[in-house]
Amino acid sequence: MATGRNHRPATRSRGIPEATVARLPLYLRALTALSERSVPTVSSEELAAAAGVNSAKLRKDFSYLGSYGTRGVGYDVEYLVYQISRELGLTQDWPVVIVGIGNLGAALANYGGFASRGFRVAALIDADPAMAGKPVAGMPVQHTDDLEKIISENGVHIGVIATPAGAAQQVGERLIAAGVTSILNFAPTVLSVPDGVDVRKVDLSIELQILAFHEQRKAGEEAAAVAAATGDAVTAPPLRGAAGAGAAAGAGAAASRKGPDGDVPAVMPA
Amino acid sequence: MATGRNHRPATRSRGIPEATVARLPLYLRALTALSERSVPTVSSEELAAAAGVNSAKLRKDFSYLGSYGTRGVGYDVEYLVYQISRELGLTQDWPVVIVGIGNLGAALANYGGFASRGFRVAALIDADPAMAGKPVAGMPVQHTDDLEKIISENGVHIGVIATPAGAAQQVGERLIAAGVTSILNFAPTVLSVPDGVDVRKVDLSIELQILAFHEQRKAGEEAAAVAAATGDAVTAPPLRGAAGAGAAAGAGAAASRKGPDGDVPAVMPA
DNA sequence: TTGTGTGAAACGATTCACAGCT
DNA sequence: AGCTGTGAATCGTTTCACACAA
């Protein structure tokens, strides 16, 4: 999914494939669970099952990190936990800021999974003056005016944007100008960032739309026909080329059903 | 990202690549914005920029849907909005249930982006009896006991799981038994589902870990050395093969720093 | 002339299958 | 005897580059 730009071929120590990197946290989670149950070793087969991938893929993935297993035996759980944590950079502490403390921002602030993985919520920031000082997740919300100060004083390199779509680009630019080089974007917008900045996005409604696509397929052709028949005639889709609002009225009726705001994200700005 | 199993080669009308499907919502969002500004046509170049992809990819993607453009001119915005909406199955209304009304569940319930895209939150369900009846996003929370009834009465095929990790598998099984065939899983666990059921997962901490990986790279070799030196000697990583908690104590010190609960998701169950 | 639509080439990721180590 | 590690085959995705239509 939309990782920002450039993963500079320069400092690329040992090129671990992006697809592999994306699975390391999965393995780590499964390994942590095993570690808690004091399981000493796992086979690629067992671990793969726990992580929800197949064993060949897992072994290939691990082979990029080095040869951390023992033939005929399997992998040492604790050792692997350490190696993957180190590879992911989780042996150091990452202070993060969350900008936009609406519903979603608050949920993120309360998310236990961050703290448990080497991430520390250094500050909560919101543009609403009324929010300032209010405690969320045991931490006072700070005003956007102090964003730059907060970033630099805490040495923050990772920022989370949970603002409405309209504010995201501006917030992103300020974060970047202040020193942030990695952004997790929950706002439903494309963030434009300079080279050297990584962006990952999470869009809740996009995931649902992908599910809807497959769901529609499952329903078979009957359902598709029904849906098509609901609006216009099955064989007569909206006239193309007929630009402007005229054609749109009929065509987009069902499709562009939407609130007055178009693209409101999961936060309440005020 | 972890789409469930089988996309049955059987009913596969015109095989649209999965990667393309995953981008359709992106195009749709960009097109909707253009439509609101009453822009009649776009070139692949312009639309690609708005969606954050390159134009060759966009044209290839659209070529799987059919030839909806006009050479030398571009694409008719309204027409494309309709075609993509239809392809994604958004011309019909999808009732969804959200299970687990903690911080995250509440944020999802309030998310405007669902309603605006053909999804209707049919019910909010939580296991906590104290939550029952409480209004969240203008809708009373219902108790898990009624899950099956709610699913069938509303004809729900898509479920969202926002429960703690421990409850997710069980909730998933009940959803599926009741008729749900697509699940969006926010709980940090691997969901095991039978064939025919699609699962997509969103894991907030995984995204951050991926960012941390790249962030670590950016810091260069110096930072890596510092991190390694923090714990053990740079050249002496935790002894492997030394199974059990003994080796783990030193090895996982920084890595397995975690709350008492291990894997708590962004919800408060109680 | 402009910008789509698409074969063909390049690339990356996954799977296969088995040699090699314990 | 068992399980890792990995080349080689395969598959899917992206990019290139240009014929073709408006």
Side-chain angles (χ1 to χ4, degrees):
Chain A
M1 220 154 274
T3 302
R5 262 121 268 244
N6 88 313
H7 285 154
R8 308 159 320 146
T11 321
R12 196 180 176 181
S13 310
R14 264 163 305 142
I16 299 178
E18 190 58 30
T20 295
V21 171
R23 280 187 296 266
L24 293 182
L26 237 60
Y27 300 141
L28 184 56
R29 190 162 71 197
L31 285 164
T32 303
L34 291 170
S35 168
E36 268 157 26
R37 297 185 8 230
S38 300
V39 176
T41 58
V42 256
S43 67
S44 62
E45 202 71 55
E46 293 163 335
L47 183 54
V53 301
N54 73 54
S55 62
K57 199 185 290 187
L58 178 143
R59 288 202 303 279
K60 210 355 94 90
D61 283 343
F62 285 180
S63 80
Y64 293 117
L65 309 183
S67 294
Y68 294 153
T70 307
R71 290 173 198 234
V73 178
Y75 300 92
D76 180 277
V77 172
E78 296 300 336
Y79 184 69
L80 247 195
V81 165
Y82 174 80
Q83 291 299 347
I84 294 179
S85 294
R86 191 178 50 79
E87 199 65 62
L88 283 173
L90 304 181
T91 49
Q92 56 188 291
D93 218 78
W94 295 101
V96 307
V97 296
I98 301 174
V99 186
I101 313 303
N103 271 303
L104 179 58
L108 295 172
N110 281 295
Y111 184 39
F114 288 168
S116 69
R117 291 278 186 292
F119 299 98
R120 181 171 47 82
V121 177
L124 306 179
I125 302 175
D126 198 282
D128 183 2
M131 288 288 294
K134 275 201 187 150
V136 169
M139 170 173 261
V141 173
Q142 301 182 64
H143 192 265
T144 319
D145 286 349
D146 302 325
L147 188 145
E148 286 77 10
K149 206 182 75 169
I150 297 167
I151 300 286
S152 69
E153 282 182 1
N154 290 276
V156 173
H157 289 112
I158 302 178
V160 177
I161 298 180
T163 66
Q169 180 63 38
Q170 201 193 99
V171 166
E173 284 167 14
R174 286 184 65 184
L175 286 173
I176 293 165
V180 164
T181 45
S182 288
I183 295 178
L184 180 50
N185 181 30
F186 285 89
T189 330
V190 176
L191 268 199
S192 302
V193 300
D195 275 12
V197 176
D198 276 303
V199 177
R200 291 192 67 86
K201 69 169 160 26
V202 175
D203 189 314
L204 313 173
S205 102
I206 281 181
E207 298 299 325
L208 273 191
Q209 291 176 56
I210 297 171
L211 283 177
F213 173 86
H214 295 301
E215 195 57 45
Q216 188 185 32
R217 291 287 155 115
K218 285 178 203 159
E221 300 313 285
E222 317 98 284
V226 170
T230 310
D232 314 77
V234 181
T235 42
L239 350 79
R240 60 194 290 200
S256 50
R257 165 200 330 98
K258 58 183 165 275
D261 206 299
D263 242 344
V264 194
V267 286
M268 7 181 285
Chain B
M1 219 156 270
T3 302
R5 261 122 268 241
N6 89 313
H7 286 152
R8 308 155 324 146
T11 321
R12 197 180 176 181
S13 311
R14 264 163 304 145
I16 299 178
E18 190 58 31
T20 295
V21 172
R23 280 188 296 266
L24 293 182
L26 236 61
Y27 301 141
L28 184 55
R29 190 162 73 196
L31 284 164
T32 303
L34 291 171
S35 169
E36 268 157 27
R37 298 186 7 232
S38 300
V39 176
T41 57
V42 259
S43 68
S44 61
E45 202 72 54
E46 293 163 335
L47 182 53
V53 302
N54 72 53
S55 63
K57 198 185 290 186
L58 178 142
R59 286 200 304 277
K60 223 324 108 88
D61 283 344
F62 285 0
S63 80
Y64 293 118
L65 309 184
S67 294
Y68 294 152
T70 308
R71 293 178 195 226
V73 179
Y75 301 91
D76 181 277
V77 172
E78 298 300 335
Y79 185 69
L80 248 194
V81 164
Y82 174 80
Q83 291 299 346
I84 295 179
S85 295
R86 191 178 49 79
E87 199 65 63
L88 283 172
L90 304 181
T91 48
Q92 57 189 287
D93 218 78
W94 295 101
V96 307
V97 296
I98 301 175
V99 186
I101 311 302
N103 271 300
L104 180 58
L108 295 172
N110 280 294
Y111 184 38
F114 289 167
S116 69
R117 291 278 186 290
F119 299 99
R120 182 170 46 83
V121 177
L124 306 179
I125 303 176
D126 197 281
D128 182 1
M131 289 286 295
K134 275 199 188 154
V136 170
M139 170 171 260
V141 173
Q142 301 183 65
H143 192 266
T144 319
D145 287 348
D146 301 324
L147 188 145
E148 286 76 10
K149 206 183 73 171
I150 297 166
I151 300 287
S152 70
E153 282 182 1
N154 290 277
V156 173
H157 288 114
I158 302 179
V160 177
I161 297 180
T163 66
Q169 180 64 38
Q170 201 194 99
V171 166
E173 285 167 14
R174 286 183 65 184
L175 286 174
I176 293 165
V180 164
T181 46
S182 288
I183 295 177
L184 180 49
N185 181 30
F186 285 90
T189 331
V190 175
L191 268 199
S192 303
V193 301
D195 274 11
V197 176
D198 277 302
V199 178
R200 290 192 68 87
K201 71 169 160 24
V202 174
D203 189 314
L204 313 173
S205 104
I206 282 181
E207 298 299 324
L208 274 190
Q209 291 175 57
I210 297 171
L211 283 177
F213 172 86
H214 295 300
E215 196 55 45
Q216 188 185 31
R217 291 285 154 114
K218 284 178 204 160
E221 300 314 285
E222 317 99 285
V226 171
T230 311
D232 313 78
V234 180
T235 43
L239 349 76
R240 59 194 289 198
S256 50
R257 166 200 333 98
K258 58 178 164 279
D261 205 300
D263 240 344
V264 194
V267 287
M268 9 180 281

